[in-house]
Amino acid sequence: MQLVTTSLRVSLVLMALCGLIYNLAVTGIAQGLMPHKADGSLIEDSSGRIVGSAHIGQTFTEPRWFHGRLSSIGYAADGSGTPNYAPSNPDLLERARQSAIDWQAANPAVPLGQVTADLITNSGSGLDPDISPEGARAQIPRVSAATGIPAAELEKLVERQVEPRQLGVFGEPTVNVLELNLALQALASNS
């Protein structure tokens, strides 16, 4: 009986320590050091309404918006992932071919050779909110035609939204599509 009592006490102490105290400490530290990130890196529009997260992409299909990467899961954050096809898989090749055809139909002013891979392929998670600066620039003719904003202004807008490599060496420069479209919305309303 003493062994059972000791086991229960140890279990309760460990549950309190690992299940409650540790979680409260980590949450408190995160809220103190980086509250925006701890709360999900939420993005607000000009009226203060939360419109998304900086870490989860959204689907933009209208010609007046910059489009993000493809997502085979519809950017559903509750189940990230994408089919893990080998580069030689016929399904992947067909999906990429169809994506290129769809992209070319929506962007006839841009030669297919200027389409970056990130515009016609999924990310590993299916949630990637970013595209390459080149991918954003390739969409300028379509967005300019749809909004009436001169291409030169859109080029400047894209340049202001480019996030450089992390610490100057890690990763590639990126553009967050939601933040870019919010900046585009502000530019359009000010024009």
Side-chain angles (χ1 to χ4, degrees), residues 1-190:
M1 191 62 168
Q2 183 179 0
L3 181 62
V4 171
T5 305
T6 303
S7 296
L8 284 174
R9 285 183 187 151
V10 169
S11 295
L12 289 173
V13 168
L14 287 175
M15 280 191 281
L17 182 65
C18 297
L20 182 64
I21 296 171
Y22 172 78
N23 292 321
L24 289 174
V26 169
T27 301
I29 291 169
Q31 285 292 333
L33 294 177
M34 48 189 164
H36 178 70
K37 288 184 179 184
D39 290 337
S41 300
L42 300 177
I43 297 175
E44 297 177 352
D45 64 9
S46 59
S47 67
R49 186 175 55 108
I50 295 173
V51 293
S53 169
H55 300 297
I56 299 174
Q58 295 184 16
T59 301
F60 293 95
T61 56
E62 294 180 36
R64 65 188 177 123
W65 300 117
F66 287 92
H67 299 174
R69 294 192 73 166
L70 301 175
S71 176
S72 57
I73 60 167
Y75 293 110
D78 59 344
S80 70
T82 190
N84 191 16
Y85 296 135
S88 60
N89 186 298
D91 291 340
L92 176 63
L93 296 174
E94 176 57 28
R95 187 175 67 192
R97 185 186 72 73
Q98 188 59 50
S99 295
I101 290 169
D102 294 345
W103 198 91
Q104 186 66 59
N107 300 275
V110 180
L112 197 54
Q114 290 182 10
V115 179
T116 57
D118 59 323
L119 293 177
I120 59 172
T121 60
N122 287 4
S123 66
S125 68
L127 301 174
D128 196 348
D130 302 320
I131 58 175
S132 65
E134 296 79 17
R137 286 186 203 101
Q139 299 180 61
I140 288 175
R142 181 195 73 243
V143 174
S144 178
T147 61
I149 298 172
E153 283 189 53
L154 292 174
E155 179 69 37
K156 291 176 189 173
L157 181 73
V158 168
E159 286 307 311
R160 286 192 300 269
Q161 295 297 317
V162 173
E163 296 179 26
R165 297 170 186 255
Q166 294 177 2
L167 302 176
V169 294
F170 298 112
E172 294 296 324
T174 60
V175 176
N176 184 289
V177 178
L178 177 57
E179 290 176 351
L180 176 61
N181 283 332
L182 288 172
L184 173 63
Q185 184 178 29
L187 179 64
S189 65
N190 291 334

